Amino acid sequence: MNRDGVPIARVAGIRISADWSVLLIGALLAWGVAGGAVPLEVPGTPLWLAWIVGVIAAALLIVSLVAHELGHALLARRRGIAVEGIKLWLFGGVAQMSGDLMTGRTEMLVAAIGPAITFVLAGAFFGSSWLLVQIGAPPLVIVVAEWLAAVNLALLLFNLIPAFPLDGGRILRGFLWTRTKNRMAATVAAARAGRFFAMIVIGLGVLDLFFLSPVGGLWLVLIGWFLASAARGEATGEQARHALEGVLVGDVMSKNPVIVPSWITVELLVEQYVMGHDFTSFPTHSIDGRIDGLVTMRGIKQVPLQQRGNRRAIDIAIPADHVPIARQDEPVTDLLKRIGTASDGRAMVYDGGTLVGIVSPSDIARLFQSGPGRVSARVAA
Ligand SMILES: [Zn+2]
């Protein structure tokens, strides 16, 4: 799945993009109207006309989904949360935002605005279908309004189920978080409700698959599977965030790195420095003492044995200006945002002008192995 999707519009500064899978859901919806609602309500409608009505209804439903997501996005932005945009995909829409600044109350409000908009839309479509009947509008127009009202109502009810990551689950998490002041516990509880509900959906889907309709059943299984993995991902992400909370760069870095002359050969580097040290990377210094690069074990392994005698350390080092610089008193979460692939996931830690440590991916991994409890104990100490 393309992460950014295909850009389709920009509303109030919020980028709306769509994944190609939206075409699939659009076609299924149009099919549902053209092959279901239309022949049922207005028998004798020609197939081509039924399909035009179906496509219009599906497009209007997607607009309703966008309105729902825009509600989430705009309110989040008003409450100071960075909003990346809205993405439409197979299971509807999602407002992409960074959760960093959220409080329980903000989460509750931001989650609740979407269903509130869907509620208003369902009401508006019910109202207009009633009005259309009163003024004697063409039956096909009434069918579209009724269908939009019914589907929006169904979406509203589904969305309000208190299971993470549905809006109802987010409202629940925000509520628990506000009450207990513990985001982690609130997330775990809401995610557990989400997994429980997902299993019910999958179970219903399997029953449906065998006894009622294979297509509807498969759809339910897919939705359930998506909900289960989203709930699990949310809980894992929360645990990771929690494990890193309050941890400083100085707590995780490998201290006293072995700094090697950048002009020595790779062969000498391996013999004199790599053997006998646990480090997976070695900063290099130039003749004037300046740190000019970082040699990694990966870089060393890429040099064939027979070339190690005539290639210098600096030739295989990551240039120093490609390696992010960190301070010991900086939160690890801030550093992680800057570490990229250019430096092979590493950063150099300076105190004043002195290199005092290296942060490598294995330093970060160790944090998770030690478990959240041990990390907080270390931070508190
Ligand atoms: Zn929503």
Side-chain angles (χ1 to χ4, degrees), residues 59-139:
L60 285 174
L61 185 71
I62 291 176
V63 171
S64 310
L65 287 175
V66 170
H68 171 115
E69 296 305 330
L70 265 178
H72 289 311
L74 289 173
L75 185 60
R77 199 173 61 179
R78 264 184 80 107
R79 308 231 1 144
I81 295 156
V83 176
E84 287 172 40
I86 291 172
K87 169 110 177 266
L88 298 170
W89 69 303
L90 193 58
F91 296 114
V94 56
Q96 301 161 308
M97 52 187 99
S98 104
D100 288 0
L101 294 170
M102 280 219 184
T103 62
R105 200 179 133 70
T106 300
E107 165 135 71
M108 258 198 303
L109 292 174
V110 169
I113 186 84
I117 287 174
T118 302
F119 176 76
V120 169
L121 285 171
F125 285 124
F126 268 121
S128 39
S129 66
W130 178 82
L131 206 69
L132 287 165
V133 171
Q134 300 308 306
I135 62 169

Side-chain angles (χ1 to χ4, degrees), residues 336-351:
L336 284 178
K337 289 177 195 154
R338 296 206 304 276
I339 290 190
T341 47
S343 65
D344 204 9
R346 284 154 216 278
M348 295 202 269
V349 187
Y350 281 86
D351 185 1

Side-chain angles (χ1 to χ4, degrees), residues 137-200:
L140 283 176
V141 179
I142 299 172
V143 169
V144 171
E146 280 175 350
W147 182 81
L148 285 167
V151 177
N152 269 304
L153 182 67
L155 280 176
L156 173 68
L157 296 178
F158 180 71
N159 245 305
L160 282 179
I161 292 166
F164 216 60
L166 297 175
D167 288 332
R170 292 186 189 278
I171 296 172
L172 173 68
R173 178 173 87 158
F175 174 73
L176 293 175
W177 181 4
T178 311
R179 287 255 327 245
T180 62
K181 306 267 180 286
N182 186 337
R183 176 179 156 142
M184 170 89 174
T187 305
V188 170
R192 194 170 294 144
R195 280 212 298 275
F196 176 73
F197 173 68
M199 292 310 141
I200 292 180

